[in-house]
């Protein structure tokens, strides 16, 4: 389950923390409220939206209740919580981490597809 999403310098968001609760979570709001930015940030941490004037963006997400063996084929150890982090720089460089250990964007995308399903109107 996604517990916390931390966003820095994504699109118009300078910094934000969003906490989620067990069960069904929904992002709602008027047009222009920023729902798509949150989804894009979540997609970024799981897989280049850097705020104007910033040299990098940073997104992290905390997941708990992870089924054992979920990342075994990727060499990822079981843990009670996973902290996924991704830094994206304007020069195209990416730094991805799981619980502080480096990983590739491909590994991050693979784990992301196992951790979260995002559904939209389209």
């Amino acid at each position: 389950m996604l517990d916390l999403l931390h966003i820095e310098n994504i699109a118009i968001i300078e910094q934000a923390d969003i906490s989620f609760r067990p069960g069904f979570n929904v992002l709602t709001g008027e047009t222009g409220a920023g729902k798509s930015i949150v989804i894009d940030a979540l997609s970024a941490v799981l897989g280049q939206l850097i705020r104007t004037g910033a040299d990098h963006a940073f997104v992290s997400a905390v997941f708990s209740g992870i089924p054992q063996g979920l990342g075994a084929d990727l060499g990822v150890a079981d843990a009670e919580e996973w902290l996924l982090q991704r830094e994206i720089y304007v020069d195209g460089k990416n730094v991805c981490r799981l619980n502080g250990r480096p990983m590739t964007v491909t590994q991050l995308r693979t784990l992301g597809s196992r951790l979260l399903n995002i559904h939209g109107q389209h």
Side-chain angles (χ1 to χ4, degrees), residues 60-84:
S60 67
V62 176
F63 290 86
S64 63
I66 300 132
Q68 289 201 349
L70 188 69
D73 61 321
L74 300 171
V76 176
D78 290 331
E80 287 187 29
E81 281 189 348
W82 279 354
L83 171 62
L84 285 103

Side-chain angles (χ1 to χ4, degrees), residues 18-118:
I18 303 168
S19 297
F20 296 88
R21 304 247 185 223
F24 185 66
N25 289 270
V26 177
L27 296 175
T28 65
E30 296 181 20
T31 301
K35 300 176 298 291
S36 295
I37 296 169
V38 172
I39 297 300
D40 289 343
L42 193 51
S43 297
V45 76
L46 298 175
Q48 163 109 339
L49 306 168
I50 301 176
R51 191 173 60 89
T52 303
D55 62 351
H56 77 284
F58 176 80
V59 183
S60 67
V62 176
F63 290 86
S64 63
I66 300 132
Q68 289 201 349
L70 188 69
D73 61 321
L74 300 171
V76 176
D78 290 331
E80 287 187 29
E81 281 189 348
W82 279 354
L83 171 62
L84 285 103
Q85 298 174 304
R86 185 173 181 191
E87 280 185 89
I88 306 166
Y89 293 86
V90 290
D91 65 3
K93 179 182 172 188
N94 280 276
V95 178
C96 303
R97 293 183 186 91
L98 171 62
N99 291 343
R101 302 188 93 176
M103 66 183 339
T104 67
V105 174
T106 301
Q107 289 173 310
L108 192 63
R109 282 189 190 128
T110 301
L111 282 180
S113 69
R114 297 173 186 177
L115 287 169
L116 198 61
N117 291 316
I118 299 173

